[in-house]
Amino acid sequence: MIFKWEGDDATLKPVIMMAHQDVVPVEGASMKMCKQAPFAGAVQQDAIWGRGAADDKFCLFSILEATERLLQQGYRPSRSIYFVFGHDEETGGKGVAAAAKLFQSRGIKAEWVLDEGGEINTEIPGLKGQPVAIIGTAEKGYLSVDLSVNIDGGHSSMPQPETAIDVLTEAIHNLRANTFKPEFTAPVEGFFRYLGPEMPFGSKLAIANRWLFKNLLFRIYHKSPGGNALIRTTIAPTIIQAGLKDNVIPNYAHATVNFRILPGTSIA
């Protein structure tokens, strides 16, 4: 969906505000563990319980509610605003690619684009719970790799020394055990440059002298999933499939492993 809110000054470049409407599916096995129905949108204790509430319906509805309020107040923007609401971000993003192609064909160049990603984070190492508004200045690359094993199966009463499941799980374990080396990329260097002065003396000292305390900082950031993702290309098995019956050893096992690649690093 693309909407245009006409601005008063045609000489100004427009801005683009984006959000996506779709969400990831619900894992069937986890349904019984849900505290609320996945698509109920129930509000309890000042929180919305529902699939996609955080990714990315809150952005979608914040934009729409703010726009509706401004329209009710008779507000007119000086520059035009485009709203681009994708329908398939979680499955490849062909919709937003089509939108970009449309803008290009019409010669529309935006002053800036605002999309999902930012948050108020209270778990920044060294800041002791202080809230930090995160502005995304880069995005990691994305690669999914399929692994498959095909070995003669058989009956579970007479297993071979190694089955397709054994080989696959060992491969996944080896991948996870051999993590990529940590590094401070340009976006993270900027992150430190702005946050370092706000930190207590010890943290400020380490960040100001990263050449000396680099390994210490790596160990600190490695402790949390979010911190670890800032300093290295990550490896995460996300899908694994094998077997149909409890007494039959499968011939075939398959897994998908997702990599999120640090800026400045190629897929190769």
Side-chain angles (χ1 to χ4, degrees), residues 71-90:
L71 286 168
Q72 289 169 347
Q73 295 172 352
Y75 174 82
R76 290 182 61 87
S78 55
R79 66 179 74 230
S80 294
I81 302 173
Y82 284 94
F83 305 101
V84 180
F85 300 141
H87 68 287
D88 64 347
E89 193 268 357
E90 300 289 2

Side-chain angles (χ1 to χ4, degrees), residues 100-248:
K101 190 175 180 180
L102 178 72
F103 285 141
Q104 189 174 31
S105 71
R106 294 181 179 178
I108 299 168
K109 294 183 179 180
E111 183 70 20
W112 46 258
V113 178
L114 181 66
D115 200 357
E116 66 171 309
E119 61 181 12
I120 305 296
N121 194 318
T122 57
E123 298 179 5
I124 303 294
L127 280 176
K128 297 181 178 178
Q130 291 185 58
V132 177
I134 303 296
I135 300 173
T137 60
E139 189 165 4
K140 297 180 85 171
Y142 183 103
L143 173 69
S144 283
V145 174
D146 288 333
L147 308 178
S148 60
V149 184
N150 202 334
I151 295 178
D152 287 345
H155 199 277
S156 62
S157 61
M158 297 177 290
Q160 296 286 346
E162 194 171 57
T163 70
I165 292 176
D166 293 326
V167 173
L168 187 66
T169 52
E170 185 177 3
I172 293 171
H173 171 76
N174 289 340
L175 273 175
R176 293 276 285 165
N178 289 277
T179 57
F180 285 86
K181 291 181 179 179
E183 60 179 289
F184 293 135
T185 59
V188 174
E189 291 284 357
F191 178 78
F192 285 146
R193 190 163 58 251
Y194 278 89
L195 284 184
E198 307 298 326
M199 293 187 174
F201 177 76
S203 300
K204 189 185 301 186
L205 178 68
I207 285 176
N209 297 277
R210 292 190 288 284
W211 60 274
L212 180 62
F213 295 102
K214 181 169 66 174
N215 290 332
L216 171 64
L217 289 168
F218 283 153
R219 287 198 297 272
I220 292 170
Y221 273 77
H222 177 72
K223 290 179 181 178
S224 70
N228 183 56
L230 280 177
I231 61 172
R232 58 164 47 91
T233 292
T234 55
I235 308 168
T238 53
I239 301 172
I240 187 165
Q241 297 169 330
L244 293 171
K245 200 170 183 294
D246 63 346
N247 65 340
V248 177

